[in-house]
Amino acid sequence: MSVSCFVRYDIEVRDLEAFLRRYREVHVPMVVRWPGLRRMILHTPAAWKDPVPVNRGRAVLMAQLEFDSEEAMDKAFASRERLEAREDFRKFMTFEGTVTHQAMKSEEDWP
């Protein structure tokens, strides 16, 4: 079983492509230095059709940070490298909306 922290950006920004480019080119290289980080996955919206009415999310980016355990995640969150990434967050371009962080345990149920 692993654990992931999901950072969800439900935001509106004047230049989304520039925001995502800076995120990939500047922020990601800082985050991947965190001790114990197994992998980082960036999720961006896909064009999709669902014949059933659903509440479509507004996220423009969801970063998934995967660790082997809660202990490894806690150690990464307490690291100097994490503090540097948080400082970089303050340098992001101005946006409206919310950014949420949520940790989730993972277990594969199928196949």
Side-chain angles (χ1 to χ4, degrees):
M1 184 180 307
S2 64
V3 63
S4 293
C5 178
F6 293 88
V7 184
R8 182 182 173 116
Y9 292 81
D10 288 311
I11 65 170
E12 292 181 21
V13 61
R14 185 177 69 247
D15 187 345
L16 180 58
E17 291 307 313
F19 178 88
L20 294 173
R21 185 172 45 256
R22 189 209 180 274
Y23 193 93
R24 286 183 180 104
E25 294 174 0
V26 177
H27 198 65
V28 169
M30 298 179 94
V31 173
V32 299
R33 294 183 12 241
W34 294 9
L37 181 65
R38 179 196 290 179
R39 67 182 179 160
M40 181 177 188
I41 303 168
L42 298 184
H43 303 270
T44 54
W48 58 290
K49 295 179 176 113
D50 191 333
V52 177
V54 295
N55 182 6
R56 298 172 76 89
R58 295 176 19 116
V60 298
L61 173 65
M62 191 178 313
Q64 179 181 355
L65 312 174
E66 186 177 353
F67 300 89
D68 288 328
S69 65
E70 292 177 55
E71 294 78 18
M73 184 176 63
D74 290 343
K75 183 177 178 181
F77 286 171
S79 70
R80 176 183 51 81
E81 293 85 354
R82 198 281 177 102
L83 293 176
E84 291 170 358
R86 290 296 295 171
E87 186 62 33
D88 181 59
F89 176 76
R90 293 185 178 104
K91 299 175 185 174
F92 282 15
M93 64 180 58
T94 303
F95 60 81
E96 295 291 326
T98 59
V99 178
T100 58
H101 297 74
Q102 185 167 0
M104 305 286 281
K105 297 177 187 176
S106 301
E107 60 183 75
E108 189 169 329
D109 288 337
W110 184 87

